[in-house]
């Protein structure tokens, strides 16, 4: 029962009561008056209130009222006779609260102090363990390769991390993190990564409870009980397994074994038992198991390849996209009724069509016979592809001048002084450079010497910049070529494809690999593609009017094959001093094989000057297209 002193103290100290006695402090005042309009001083059930927290609750002074933002705190009086509690209106609370039950949950854990209820949301390990994990979302992450996305995030994130349970759901990619510092660091890299299409990668984060799949695997004894339970539910004559509502199976409940198939550990255990004991399973019923996704069921495609009938009815599947997880099954009968996804189709025809897109052999859906499917079940033996040809020339007429031009061009280009290339370019020639950096492994992208001058039209939108990066006139072109890293091209790797050939114009593409011979990227192997547009320059000579160079890092396979066959070294005397019989043999071999003297000598030397054996090796290599065109330039 309130005393007069209590009433006086209440009115003097607590300004949340109607009348003229409350003090109109900023942020408080009349906003709280209506909560206590019926409780004047001395009214039944009123109690002394202490600013800074409830009595005996371990409050932290004036700061405590601001900590109420995570939930109202029940202000009860241990001396209250009626045991009633009151809720205090909290103007400092968050505007997007989701209901009082959320705050009630925060109060159940007890514990005093103004930090009550906070640790659960921030993963600090306090409270009852709720929301101690964080789910990381990447909207539209489906279009990204997993390795590219994770590597890009790891390279820029200030905290090292390992994603847990990476998966794609709808159009977004998502994974889990169990540390609040790392989760916040990931949130800060949002829109700091640009994909190859020029879009910023957005990263979102939500606190969440520990994922269900983290629960430990079933104990061996529990697995044995589950195996016995499944054996009772298996019909060997039909090769059918009925797991309908298995979570309430008496045999499991009596042993206090929790088998919930919408959890990874339970589904994994079931599929493991199927794989080890009944891999020839034909029919499977997993209805009434509250399945809301089929990721874990996808293992059945390989574990039970003979499965023809699957019952998924009376579950919680919300979208037909979940069926993509198991579309590798060759089902002829499927049950999906009483799943939310069934309500989203405008008619039965669209429902059947959508399901049959995933399972074209389906004959029954939800117990209803379907029209026979139209399929072409023809087993075709994959045809062996013909061997890839190294180069393509429109005619032998232009093959010789192109190969002669390339040999002369790259011998000058790799010599260290590219100034003589002035003779190869037209007065009004144009040159452009572009490059590609793969984000699969950014640490390998060491093309910095090319980056500042790259003219990638997908990246450059400014017309003035596009024009500036074009090199006009032969003087500017060759001056720019002299600024590029010194190189050594693998002439054996060159492939030539003629694009256009007329009496006045010849366009061809050259691809191959080269390595840099100096600087910080010394011995780095690059791959390139170069388009030359040329015009006749008298006789068989060619003059470049347009030159477009594309550079990228070489692949692992290209690096492995690069510079395996040493290119001939140009010299004033292509034929070293040989004995008279060797020179006679060399001339005969060059005439018979069609190769020049340098390559003919190499072939004979590799075969210890055995003419017949060298001829046989030459025939085999030529049949497999392994002799470069440069070997036939005389």
């Amino acid at each position: 029962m309130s005393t007069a002193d209590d009433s006086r103290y209440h009115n003097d100290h607590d300004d949340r009561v109607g009348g003229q006695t409350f003090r109109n402090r900023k942020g408080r005042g009349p906003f709280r008056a209506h909560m206590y309009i019926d409780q004047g001083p001395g009214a039944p059930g009123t109690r002394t209130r202490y600013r800074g927290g409830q009595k005996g609750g371990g409050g932290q002074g004036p700061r405590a009222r601001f900590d109420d933002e995570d939930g109202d705190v029940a202000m009860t009086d241990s001396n209250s006779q009626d045991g009633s509690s009151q809720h205090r209106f909290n103007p400092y609370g968050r505007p997007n609260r989701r209901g009082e039950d959320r705050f009630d949950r925060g109060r159940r854990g007890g514990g005093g102090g103004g930090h009550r209820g906070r640790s659960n949301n921030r993963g600090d390990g306090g409270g009852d363990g709720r929301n101690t994990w964080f789910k990381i979302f990447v909207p539209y992450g489906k279009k990204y390769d997993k390795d590219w996305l994770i590597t890009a995030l790891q390279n820029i994130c200030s905290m090292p991390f390992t994603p847990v349970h990476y998966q794609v759901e709808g159009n977004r990619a998502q994974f889990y993190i169990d540390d609040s510092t790392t989760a916040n660091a990931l949130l800060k890299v949002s829109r700091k990564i640009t994909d190859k299409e020029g879009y910023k990668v957005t990263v979102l984060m939500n606190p969440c409870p520990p994922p269900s799949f983290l629960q430990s695997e079933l104990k061996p004894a529990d697995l044995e009980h589950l195996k016995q339970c499944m054996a009772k539910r298996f019909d060997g004559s039909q090769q059918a397994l009925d797991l309908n509502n298995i979570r309430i199976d008496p045999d499991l409940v009596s042993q206090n074994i929790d088998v919930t198939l919408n959890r990874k550990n339970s589904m994994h255990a079931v599929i493991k038992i199927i794989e080890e004991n009944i891999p020839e399973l034909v029919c499977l019923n997993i209805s009434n198991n509250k399945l809301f996704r089929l990721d874990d069921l996808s293992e059945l495609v390989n574990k039970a390849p003979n499965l023809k009938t699957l019952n998924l009815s009376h579950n919680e599947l919300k979208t037909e996209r979940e069926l993509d997880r198991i579309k590798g099954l060759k089902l002829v009968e499927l049950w999906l009724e009483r799943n939310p996804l069934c309500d989203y189709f405008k008619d039965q025809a669209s429902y059947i069509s959508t399901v049959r897109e995933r399972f074209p052999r389906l004959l029954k859906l939800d117990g209803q016979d379907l029209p026979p499917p139209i399929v072409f079940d023809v087993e075709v033996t994959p045809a062996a592809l013909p061997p890839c040809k190294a180069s393509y020339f429109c005619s032998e007429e232009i093959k010789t001048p192109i190969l002669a031009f390339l040999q002369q061009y790259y011998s000058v280009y790799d010599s260290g002084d590219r100034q003589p290339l002035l003779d190869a370019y037209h007065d009004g020639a144009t040159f452009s450079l572009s490059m590609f950096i793969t984000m699969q492994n950014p640490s390998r992208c060491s093309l910095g010497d090319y980056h500042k001058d790259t003219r990638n039209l997908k990246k450059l939108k400014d017309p003035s910049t596009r024009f500036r990066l074009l090199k006009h006139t032969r003087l500017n072109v060759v001056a720019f070529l002299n600024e590029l890293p010194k190189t050594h091209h693998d002439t054996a790797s060159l492939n030539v494809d003629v694009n256009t050939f007329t009496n006045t114009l010849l366009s061809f593409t050259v691809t191959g690999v080269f390595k840099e011979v100096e600087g910080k990227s010394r011995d780095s192997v690059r791959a390139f593609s170069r388009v030359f547009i040329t015009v006749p320059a008298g006789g068989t000579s060619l003059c470049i009017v347009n030159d477009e160079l594309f550079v990228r890092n070489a692949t692992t396979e290209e690096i492995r094959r690069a510079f395996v066959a040493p290119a001939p070294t140009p010299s004033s005397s292509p034929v070293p001093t040989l004995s008279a019989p060797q020179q006679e043999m060399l001339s005969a071999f060059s005439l018979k094989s069609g190769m020049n003297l340098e390559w003919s000598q190499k072939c004979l030397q590799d075969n210890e000057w055995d003419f017949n054996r060298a001829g046989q090796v030459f025939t085999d290599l030529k049949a497999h297209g392994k002799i470069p065109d440069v070997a036939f330039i005389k």
Side-chain angles (χ1 to χ4, degrees):
M1 182 172 183
S2 299
T3 64
D5 289 340
D6 288 338
S7 299
R8 179 187 57 76
Y9 183 84
H10 182 95
N11 284 316
D12 289 347
H13 191 71
D14 196 320
D15 55 10
R16 294 172 291 183
V17 183
Q20 298 298 321
T21 58
F22 66 83
R23 290 171 295 175
N24 220 351
R25 294 173 59 207
K26 184 177 180 181
R28 298 173 69 84
F31 296 100
R32 298 177 183 260
H34 67 279
M35 296 296 292
Y36 303 93
I37 195 68
D38 296 328
Q39 299 184 29
T46 59
R47 65 197 183 284
T48 301
R49 291 174 174 80
Y50 299 92
R51 185 177 307 176
Q54 78 184 72
K55 185 177 180 180
Q60 299 184 9
R63 173 64 186 162
R65 66 171 178 267
F66 295 98
D67 290 340
D68 290 343
E69 62 183 3
D70 283 341
D72 289 345
V73 180
M75 301 183 64
T76 59
D77 188 356
S78 58
N79 297 324
S80 177
Q81 296 179 5
D82 57 3
S84 62
S85 65
Q86 299 173 357
H87 292 275
R88 183 179 62 186
F89 177 72
N90 181 10
Y92 303 103
R94 294 173 180 167
N96 59 342
R97 301 188 308 179
R98 299 185 179 177
E100 293 300 323
D101 57 339
R102 170 188 164 194
F103 305 121
D104 291 340
R105 289 196 300 269
R107 290 195 295 268
R108 291 172 192 159
H115 295 283
R116 181 168 40 205
R118 287 183 168 227
S119 60
N120 294 346
N121 282 340
R122 302 187 182 180
D124 297 331
D128 56 3
R130 292 187 177 91
N131 295 343
T132 58
W133 279 68
F134 300 84
K135 185 183 285 187
I136 307 298
F137 301 95
V138 178
Y140 306 103
K142 178 181 180 181
K143 66 180 180 180
Y144 300 129
D145 176 75
K146 174 185 174 182
D147 294 335
W148 176 86
L149 180 60
I150 296 302
T151 301
L153 291 173
Q154 289 172 334
N155 285 339
I156 197 173
C157 184
S158 60
M159 297 291 295
F161 71 93
T162 300
V164 177
H165 196 55
Y166 180 97
Q167 61 181 340
V168 174
E169 181 173 342
N171 285 325
R172 71 185 181 188
Q174 63 185 41
F175 57 88
Y176 293 89
I177 293 294
D178 64 348
D179 175 67
S180 62
T181 304
T182 304
N184 286 317
L186 276 169
L187 189 60
K188 292 178 181 178
V189 308
S190 181
R191 300 187 60 78
K192 292 185 179 180
I193 299 172
T194 305
D195 64 19
K196 61 182 180 181
E197 297 178 354
Y199 293 103
K200 299 292 186 181
V201 177
T202 302
V203 180
L204 305 176
M205 178 267 286
N206 276 336
C208 66
S212 60
F213 60 80
L214 292 176
Q215 297 186 15
S216 59
E217 299 292 333
L218 295 178
K219 299 176 182 178
D222 294 343
L223 278 173
E224 187 61 31
H225 283 296
L226 176 58
K227 181 177 177 181
Q228 294 174 5
C229 174
M230 291 173 61
K232 293 180 181 179
R233 289 168 167 254
F234 178 65
D235 182 356
S237 63
Q238 303 292 327
Q239 287 297 314
L241 178 62
D242 181 9
L243 300 182
N244 172 57
N245 220 358
I246 191 173
R247 66 185 180 280
I248 62 171
D249 187 283
D251 291 344
L252 299 177
V253 174
S254 63
Q255 298 293 327
N256 199 26
I257 300 174
D258 181 19
V259 176
T260 306
L261 294 188
N262 60 14
R263 295 179 181 172
K264 187 179 182 69
N265 63 330
S266 296
M267 183 65 80
H268 177 74
V270 166
I271 293 179
K272 183 178 180 181
I273 292 173
I274 291 176
E275 178 189 16
E276 295 176 352
N277 298 276
I278 44 175
E280 66 281 1
L281 186 67
V282 174
C283 304
L284 176 63
N285 180 0
I286 48 176
S287 58
N288 284 295
N289 279 292
K290 297 185 178 180
L291 299 177
F292 58 91
R293 64 193 322 157
L294 299 179
D295 297 65
D296 302 324
L297 197 63
S298 61
E299 297 181 35
L300 277 178
V301 175
N302 298 318
K303 310 298 186 185
N306 297 325
L307 192 66
K308 303 296 181 186
T309 301
L310 179 62
N311 190 339
L312 293 170
S313 63
H314 298 264
N315 280 299
E316 302 295 333
L317 303 175
K318 294 180 174 59
T319 171
E320 71 275 7
R321 289 193 299 270
E322 290 299 327
L323 300 177
D324 291 336
R325 303 339 190 221
I326 58 170
K327 65 181 181 181
L329 293 172
K330 299 178 181 179
L331 298 179
V332 296
E333 185 173 359
L334 177 64
W335 297 73
L336 292 172
E337 62 182 357
R338 303 298 293 274
N339 276 283
L341 69 85
C342 298
D343 300 329
Y344 297 143
F345 296 96
K346 60 183 180 180
D347 52 41
Q348 185 73 2
S350 60
Y351 172 49
I352 294 173
S353 175
T354 299
V355 175
R356 249 189 176 167
E357 285 180 11
R358 278 82 175 176
F359 308 102
R361 303 170 188 267
L362 204 63
L363 298 177
K364 270 191 174 184
L365 180 59
D366 296 334
Q368 302 295 318
D369 291 331
L370 302 181
I374 301 175
V375 294
F376 299 92
D377 192 9
V378 180
E379 297 293 336
V380 179
T381 303
L385 294 176
C388 178
K389 293 186 176 181
S391 299
Y392 171 74
F393 300 92
C394 293
S395 67
E396 291 294 324
E397 176 186 357
I398 60 173
K399 177 178 180 180
T400 300
I402 289 177
L403 294 179
F405 166 82
L406 292 177
Q407 184 181 38
Q408 186 176 6
Y409 183 92
Y410 283 111
S411 64
V412 175
Y413 192 94
D414 292 342
S415 66
D417 179 15
R418 295 169 182 163
Q419 201 64 23
L421 290 177
L422 281 169
D423 296 334
Y425 286 89
H426 190 275
D427 288 340
T430 303
F431 174 87
S432 67
L433 168 70
S434 60
M435 55 168 282
F436 172 72
I437 298 179
T438 175
M439 294 303 294
Q440 300 286 352
N441 190 353
S443 62
R444 293 183 56 200
C445 296
S446 53
L447 294 168
D449 293 329
Y450 302 90
H451 187 271
K452 62 185 176 63
D453 297 293
T454 183
R455 188 174 178 268
N456 190 329
L457 296 183
K458 289 185 68 176
K459 302 293 184 183
L460 296 178
K461 306 301 182 183
D462 180 30
S464 61
T465 305
R466 289 181 175 183
F467 182 82
R468 178 178 57 81
L469 291 175
L470 279 175
K471 311 304 176 185
H472 298 276
T473 75
R474 65 173 185 163
L475 291 175
N476 290 326
V477 170
V478 175
F480 177 73
L481 293 179
N482 274 313
E483 295 176 1
L484 293 179
K486 305 304 180 186
T487 59
H488 173 49
H489 284 73
D490 181 9
T491 55
S493 72
L494 300 185
N495 288 333
V496 182
D497 293 299
V498 175
N499 309 320
T500 306
F501 172 46
T502 68
N503 291 331
T504 58
L505 185 141
L506 174 61
S507 173
F508 55 93
T509 301
V510 183
T511 60
V513 297
F514 66 86
K515 64 180 178 181
E516 298 182 15
V517 297
E518 64 180 22
K520 61 182 180 181
S521 298
R522 184 188 180 110
D523 295 327
S524 296
V525 180
R526 319 292 191 197
F528 75 95
S529 174
R530 199 161 188 171
V531 180
F532 291 106
I533 300 179
T534 65
V535 295
T540 59
S541 300
L542 299 175
C543 183
I544 304 169
V545 295
N546 193 292
D547 181 2
E548 180 181 337
L549 174 62
F550 175 81
V551 181
R552 61 175 172 82
N553 283 315
T555 64
T556 304
E557 181 62 20
E558 288 171 330
I559 295 173
R560 185 185 67 81
R561 296 187 320 205
F563 300 97
V564 173
T569 304
S571 63
S572 57
S573 177
V575 183
T577 302
L578 300 173
S579 65
Q582 286 178 332
Q583 289 193 21
E584 183 179 351
M585 184 186 299
L586 177 59
S587 299
F589 192 84
S590 176
L591 181 64
K592 189 170 183 178
S593 65
M595 293 195 299
N596 56 41
L597 293 177
E598 290 167 308
W599 282 81
S600 297
Q601 179 181 336
K602 181 180 183 306
C603 186
L604 287 169
Q605 287 176 336
D606 290 345
N607 291 280
E608 300 176 347
W609 294 93
D610 186 328
F611 190 92
N612 293 330
R613 189 169 72 181
Q616 182 62 44
V617 170
F618 167 79
T619 303
D620 293 342
L621 292 175
K622 187 176 182 182
H624 290 86
K626 294 185 176 180
I627 300 180
D629 293 326
V630 71
F632 298 93
I633 299 175
K634 296 185 178 181

